[in-house]
Amino acid sequence: MKTLHLTYYFQTNLFCIVLILLMYANISQAKPSRSDQRIFRALLKLSVLFGISDMTTWAINGTDMRFANIFVHLANMIFFITSTAISYGWFMYVMYQVNPNRERVKKINIFASLPMMIFIVQVIISPWTKILYYIDKDNVYHRGFGIYSHWIVSWGYMVAVTSIILYNIRKAESRMKKRELAPMLLFLFFPMIGSLAQVFFYGTSVILCGLTISILIIFIRHQNSQISIDALTETNNRRQLNRYLDDRITNSKSDDSILLIMMDIDGFKKINDVYGHLEGDKALVTIAQLLKQVCGKVNGKLFLARFGGDEFVYVATGKNIPSADAVISEIKAGLEHINSNSKTDYKLGISAGYVSDKISAFNSLDDILSQADKNMYTEKKKK
């Protein structure tokens, strides 16, 4: 790499690293509570390490400085491991985004990590086997005969996860959900351009630039999503619920149905008054976690939101929606399990009311919400 090109390369990569660090500083102010949040932070760290290793490789490649051979080996090993880990991390990030069943994602993770682990072993033994690369007597890097395994594993994750995103966009019933998923398709595009440039024009290295653009797109998507998330329970908030219902009423087909269940926590005011607001917050989080688990168990896609205070709302739309009894029974069974294993002095319970009809039967979201709210309080008075 010529000196002028090397200077431009370092300036560009340093700019990318600083930009990624700024994104990390922004999101690190709050403690991550979800797996996808932790994975995204890990992706930022890996991207910085990837950029530093790439710059180190080019800086000392072919030099005769002391210990250059060792540093070239270490830099290349870090480069290969981080680039593959980024692809795998992105795969897992998307899986947590599109799959509400966390236990299922954990099981997928066991099998999905195998190609990466096998590849890491190849990286570690490569200085002796020369599978992926080798360093000649002049400390110059050369590709090994097995370099294709790096491309296959890294891009295998990328292609697989892009297919998953496309599948979820296709089956998403609401335009709002399609718009939320669409930016994730761009994550593949920019690193792919940089990677292809490096494959076909050896000596060119612009992968970090493409990766930074992709991360910035996901960062913006992440920031926008925070506007629609309830900070305590990490469910959708009322603003997002209104958007979702407006979208379904406007864009649904004439024969689509809707199920909306409104719930509130029994005796929540007493929990706050007797045990304090922190305990009340814990009760809200416990209920929210249970409701999220039910999302993955009940047959049919459910939209969950905190309506306000101690009230939560479930929404399912489409041609084949689950029955209200099935959802409510699943929730109550979960509450029985929680109460039987809880050490608190109070028991958690809910009152639920619902509406279920063709979407065309309602003129506005207020019609749906007011009917469900009325039915919920009717149910509550029976207790």
Side-chain angles (χ1 to χ4, degrees):
M1 187 181 284
K2 295 180 179 179
T3 303
L4 183 61
H5 289 171
L6 190 61
T7 301
Y8 285 141
Y9 163 75
F10 279 134
Q11 290 174 344
T12 304
N13 271 25
L14 283 172
F15 175 78
C16 291
I17 289 172
V18 169
L19 186 58
I20 294 171
L21 287 173
L22 288 173
M23 286 186 273
Y24 182 81
N26 181 278
I27 65 173
S28 63
Q29 296 174 16
K31 184 179 179 180
S33 56
R34 299 200 316 263
S35 297
D36 57 333
Q37 294 174 341
R38 289 189 285 270
I39 291 172
F40 185 67
R41 293 189 182 196
L43 284 173
L44 294 177
K45 294 177 183 177
L46 287 168
S47 298
V48 171
L49 193 57
F50 169 81
I52 293 173
S53 65
D54 195 31
M55 287 194 298
T56 304
T57 299
W58 286 110
I60 62 179
N61 187 56
T63 65
D64 58 356
M65 61 177 285
R66 192 178 183 185
F67 304 122
N69 186 272
I70 295 175
F71 285 125
V72 172
H73 273 296
L74 286 174
N76 277 286
M77 291 172 72
I78 294 171
F79 172 86
F80 281 119
I81 292 173
T82 54
S83 60
T84 306
I86 288 168
S87 297
Y88 165 74
W90 174 240
F91 177 88
M92 291 310 303
Y93 175 85
V94 172
M95 292 305 298
Y96 277 108
Q97 286 279 305
V98 302
N99 196 327
N101 190 332
R102 296 307 191 232
E103 293 304 316
R104 184 181 178 186
V105 175
K106 289 178 181 178
K107 291 178 182 178
I108 292 173
N109 178 32
I110 295 173
F111 297 99
S113 63
L114 289 177
M116 181 185 67
M117 300 307 294
I118 293 171
F119 178 76
I120 289 176
V121 173
Q122 284 187 320
V123 174
I124 294 173
I125 65 175
S126 198
W128 297 276
T129 62
K130 301 181 180 180
I131 295 176
L132 297 173
Y133 72 93
Y134 65 93
I135 311 299
D136 64 22
K137 59 182 178 62
D138 296 317
N139 296 324
V140 176
Y141 164 89
H142 298 277
R143 290 172 177 170
F145 62 90
I147 189 66
Y148 296 103
S149 64
H150 177 224
W151 302 335
I152 291 171
V153 174
S154 295
W155 288 105
Y157 284 124
M158 287 294 199
V159 172
V161 78
T162 301
S163 300
I164 292 169
I165 296 169
L166 285 169
Y167 172 76
N168 279 272
I169 289 175
R170 183 179 178 183
K171 74 174 185 177
E173 295 178 348
S174 69
R175 293 183 182 179
M176 185 181 74
K177 186 63 177 178
K178 293 179 188 289
R179 289 194 295 268
E180 289 176 358
L181 292 172
M184 292 198 289
L185 287 173
L186 296 175
F187 193 92
L188 171 72
F189 179 75
F190 297 104
M192 180 179 68
I193 298 299
S195 181
L196 289 175
Q198 188 159 327
V199 170
F200 293 107
F201 303 98
Y202 184 61
T204 302
S205 185
V206 290
I207 298 178
L208 184 62
C209 297
L211 180 62
T212 303
I213 295 172
S214 295
I215 288 175
L216 181 60
I217 292 171
I218 302 305
F219 173 78
I220 294 171
R221 177 183 179 274
H222 173 79
Q223 294 298 95
N224 289 338
S225 71
Q226 297 306 300
I227 301 172
S228 304
I229 298 295
D230 176 64
L232 176 63
T233 62
E234 294 192 336
T235 59
N236 296 293
N237 58 20
R238 186 167 180 173
R239 176 179 180 272
Q240 188 72 348
L241 172 66
N242 290 344
R243 287 181 60 201
Y244 179 79
L245 289 175
D246 275 332
D247 177 83
R248 301 314 298 136
I249 291 171
T250 303
N251 300 310
S252 292
K253 297 177 181 178
S254 58
D255 59 343
D256 282 349
S257 299
I258 184 170
L259 166 67
L260 187 145
I261 306 174
M262 185 171 287
M263 301 158 280
D264 79 348
I265 302 175
D266 296 335
F268 183 69
K269 185 178 184 300
K270 183 180 178 180
I271 295 174
N272 273 333
D273 292 344
V274 176
Y275 303 101
H277 288 280
L278 288 178
E279 193 63 35
D281 287 348
K282 290 180 182 179
L284 286 169
V285 171
T286 300
I287 292 289
Q289 289 174 341
L290 170 62
L291 297 180
K292 290 175 188 176
Q293 291 173 8
V294 174
C295 276
K297 291 181 179 179
V298 177
N299 182 30
K301 280 203 163 184
L302 298 174
F303 179 92
L304 172 64
R306 183 184 178 191
F307 190 67
D310 63 331
E311 295 180 335
F312 293 87
V313 171
Y314 257 143
V315 186
T317 60
K319 292 181 175 59
N320 299 307
I321 60 174
S323 70
D325 290 339
V327 178
I328 295 171
S329 295
E330 191 70 41
I331 295 169
K332 290 185 175 180
L335 285 171
E336 287 180 8
H337 178 74
I338 290 172
N339 289 329
S340 64
N341 292 279
S342 176
K343 295 180 180 179
T344 61
D345 295 329
Y346 58 86
K347 302 296 183 183
L348 289 173
I350 62 158
S351 295
Y354 66 89
V355 291
S356 183
D357 206 336
K358 297 293 184 184
I359 295 180
S360 56
F362 303 97
N363 296 319
S364 67
L365 63 90
D366 288 335
D367 287 344
I368 304 173
L369 291 170
S370 61
Q371 286 189 37
D373 186 58
K374 181 181 177 181
N375 293 338
M376 181 188 71
Y377 278 101
T378 301
E379 180 67 24
K380 199 172 187 69
K381 288 177 183 178
K382 296 177 182 178
K383 297 185 176 181

Short mmCIF file of all heavy atoms in Angstrom, two decimals, residues 6 11 25 41 51 91 151 157 177 188 191 213 216 227 246 263 291 298 307 368:
data_model
loop_
_atom_site.label_atom_id
_atom_site.label_comp_id
_atom_site.label_asym_id
_atom_site.label_seq_id
_atom_site.Cartn_x
_atom_site.Cartn_y
_atom_site.Cartn_z
N LEU A 6 -1.90 4.85 2.27
CA LEU A 6 -1.87 4.40 3.66
C LEU A 6 -2.32 5.52 4.60
O LEU A 6 -3.05 5.28 5.56
CB LEU A 6 -0.47 3.93 4.03
CG LEU A 6 -0.31 3.20 5.36
CD1 LEU A 6 -1.14 1.94 5.38
CD2 LEU A 6 1.16 2.89 5.63
N GLN A 11 -6.52 7.70 8.19
CA GLN A 11 -7.42 8.80 8.54
C GLN A 11 -8.88 8.36 8.49
O GLN A 11 -9.67 8.66 9.39
CB GLN A 11 -7.21 9.98 7.58
CG GLN A 11 -5.88 10.69 7.77
CD GLN A 11 -5.64 11.77 6.73
OE1 GLN A 11 -6.31 11.81 5.68
NE2 GLN A 11 -4.69 12.66 6.99
N ALA A 25 -20.47 5.45 23.57
CA ALA A 25 -20.56 6.34 24.74
C ALA A 25 -22.00 6.78 24.95
O ALA A 25 -22.45 6.94 26.09
CB ALA A 25 -19.65 7.55 24.53
N ARG A 41 -24.01 -3.68 21.91
CA ARG A 41 -22.82 -3.08 22.54
C ARG A 41 -21.57 -3.90 22.23
O ARG A 41 -20.50 -3.34 21.98
CB ARG A 41 -23.03 -2.97 24.05
CG ARG A 41 -24.11 -1.99 24.44
CD ARG A 41 -24.14 -1.74 25.92
NE ARG A 41 -25.23 -0.83 26.26
CZ ARG A 41 -25.33 -0.18 27.41
NH1 ARG A 41 -24.40 -0.36 28.33
NH2 ARG A 41 -26.33 0.61 27.66
N GLY A 51 -11.18 -2.68 13.60
CA GLY A 51 -10.51 -1.57 12.92
C GLY A 51 -9.07 -1.40 13.35
O GLY A 51 -8.18 -1.17 12.52
N PHE A 91 -26.08 -11.86 13.49
CA PHE A 91 -27.06 -12.95 13.36
C PHE A 91 -27.88 -13.08 14.64
O PHE A 91 -29.12 -13.14 14.61
CB PHE A 91 -26.33 -14.26 13.05
CG PHE A 91 -27.24 -15.47 12.96
CD1 PHE A 91 -27.84 -15.81 11.77
CD2 PHE A 91 -27.48 -16.24 14.09
CE1 PHE A 91 -28.68 -16.92 11.69
CE2 PHE A 91 -28.31 -17.35 14.02
CZ PHE A 91 -28.92 -17.69 12.82
N TRP A 151 -14.47 -16.47 4.37
CA TRP A 151 -15.57 -15.84 3.63
C TRP A 151 -16.86 -16.63 3.77
O TRP A 151 -17.94 -16.05 3.91
CB TRP A 151 -15.18 -15.70 2.15
CG TRP A 151 -13.92 -14.93 1.93
CD1 TRP A 151 -13.38 -13.98 2.75
CD2 TRP A 151 -13.02 -15.04 0.83
NE1 TRP A 151 -12.21 -13.49 2.24
CE2 TRP A 151 -11.96 -14.13 1.05
CE3 TRP A 151 -12.98 -15.83 -0.32
CZ2 TRP A 151 -10.90 -13.97 0.16
CZ3 TRP A 151 -11.94 -15.67 -1.21
CH2 TRP A 151 -10.90 -14.76 -0.98
N TYR A 157 -23.26 -16.37 7.81
CA TYR A 157 -24.10 -15.73 8.83
C TYR A 157 -24.89 -14.57 8.23
O TYR A 157 -26.09 -14.41 8.50
CB TYR A 157 -23.24 -15.22 9.98
CG TYR A 157 -22.74 -16.27 10.93
CD1 TYR A 157 -21.38 -16.42 11.19
CD2 TYR A 157 -23.62 -17.12 11.60
CE1 TYR A 157 -20.91 -17.38 12.08
CE2 TYR A 157 -23.16 -18.08 12.48
CZ TYR A 157 -21.81 -18.21 12.72
OH TYR A 157 -21.35 -19.16 13.60
N LYS A 177 -44.65 -2.59 10.99
CA LYS A 177 -43.65 -3.62 11.31
C LYS A 177 -42.67 -3.79 10.17
O LYS A 177 -41.45 -3.95 10.39
CB LYS A 177 -44.35 -4.95 11.60
CG LYS A 177 -43.42 -6.05 12.08
CD LYS A 177 -42.78 -5.69 13.40
CE LYS A 177 -41.91 -6.82 13.92
NZ LYS A 177 -41.23 -6.46 15.17
N LEU A 188 -26.23 -5.59 5.69
CA LEU A 188 -25.44 -6.46 4.81
C LEU A 188 -24.78 -5.68 3.68
O LEU A 188 -23.65 -5.97 3.29
CB LEU A 188 -26.34 -7.55 4.22
CG LEU A 188 -25.74 -8.42 3.11
CD1 LEU A 188 -24.69 -9.37 3.70
CD2 LEU A 188 -26.82 -9.21 2.40
N PRO A 191 -21.04 -3.39 4.23
CA PRO A 191 -19.85 -4.25 4.42
C PRO A 191 -19.60 -5.17 3.23
O PRO A 191 -18.45 -5.52 2.95
CB PRO A 191 -20.20 -5.06 5.68
CG PRO A 191 -21.22 -4.25 6.39
CD PRO A 191 -22.02 -3.58 5.31
N ILE A 213 -21.03 2.49 8.52
CA ILE A 213 -22.29 3.00 7.97
C ILE A 213 -23.45 2.11 8.41
O ILE A 213 -24.51 2.59 8.82
CB ILE A 213 -22.23 3.08 6.43
CG1 ILE A 213 -21.18 4.10 6.00
CG2 ILE A 213 -23.60 3.44 5.85
CD1 ILE A 213 -20.91 4.10 4.51
N LEU A 216 -24.20 2.60 12.06
CA LEU A 216 -24.87 3.90 12.27
C LEU A 216 -26.36 3.80 11.95
O LEU A 216 -27.20 4.37 12.66
CB LEU A 216 -24.21 4.96 11.39
CG LEU A 216 -24.77 6.39 11.51
CD1 LEU A 216 -24.62 6.89 12.94
CD2 LEU A 216 -24.04 7.32 10.54
N ILE A 227 -38.01 5.73 21.69
CA ILE A 227 -39.12 6.67 21.83
C ILE A 227 -40.43 5.92 22.04
O ILE A 227 -41.36 6.43 22.66
CB ILE A 227 -39.21 7.57 20.57
CG1 ILE A 227 -37.90 8.34 20.37
CG2 ILE A 227 -40.38 8.54 20.66
CD1 ILE A 227 -37.84 9.10 19.06
N ASP A 246 -53.80 2.29 14.69
CA ASP A 246 -54.13 3.13 13.53
C ASP A 246 -53.73 2.44 12.22
O ASP A 246 -54.47 2.45 11.23
CB ASP A 246 -53.43 4.49 13.63
CG ASP A 246 -54.21 5.49 14.46
OD1 ASP A 246 -55.45 5.36 14.50
OD2 ASP A 246 -53.60 6.38 15.05
N MET A 263 -55.76 -5.43 30.35
CA MET A 263 -55.56 -6.02 31.67
C MET A 263 -55.04 -4.99 32.64
O MET A 263 -54.30 -4.08 32.24
CB MET A 263 -54.54 -7.17 31.59
CG MET A 263 -54.91 -8.29 30.66
SD MET A 263 -53.46 -9.24 30.13
CE MET A 263 -52.80 -8.17 28.85
N LEU A 291 -45.94 -11.55 30.50
CA LEU A 291 -46.70 -11.28 29.28
C LEU A 291 -45.82 -11.47 28.04
O LEU A 291 -46.29 -11.96 27.00
CB LEU A 291 -47.27 -9.86 29.31
CG LEU A 291 -48.29 -9.59 30.43
CD1 LEU A 291 -48.79 -8.15 30.35
CD2 LEU A 291 -49.46 -10.55 30.37
N VAL A 298 -48.34 -18.49 22.93
CA VAL A 298 -49.68 -18.54 22.35
C VAL A 298 -49.59 -18.57 20.83
O VAL A 298 -48.78 -17.85 20.23
CB VAL A 298 -50.51 -17.33 22.82
CG1 VAL A 298 -51.88 -17.33 22.15
CG2 VAL A 298 -50.66 -17.36 24.33
N PHE A 307 -50.27 0.23 28.68
CA PHE A 307 -51.24 1.26 28.34
C PHE A 307 -51.09 2.48 29.24
O PHE A 307 -51.34 3.61 28.85
CB PHE A 307 -52.66 0.68 28.44
CG PHE A 307 -53.72 1.58 27.89
CD1 PHE A 307 -53.78 1.87 26.54
CD2 PHE A 307 -54.68 2.13 28.74
CE1 PHE A 307 -54.77 2.70 26.03
CE2 PHE A 307 -55.67 2.96 28.24
CZ PHE A 307 -55.72 3.24 26.89
N ILE A 368 -62.22 0.62 19.86
CA ILE A 368 -61.70 -0.66 20.34
C ILE A 368 -61.28 -0.57 21.80
O ILE A 368 -61.65 -1.41 22.63
CB ILE A 368 -60.50 -1.11 19.48
CG1 ILE A 368 -60.89 -1.17 18.00
CG2 ILE A 368 -59.97 -2.46 19.95
CD1 ILE A 368 -59.72 -1.44 17.07
#
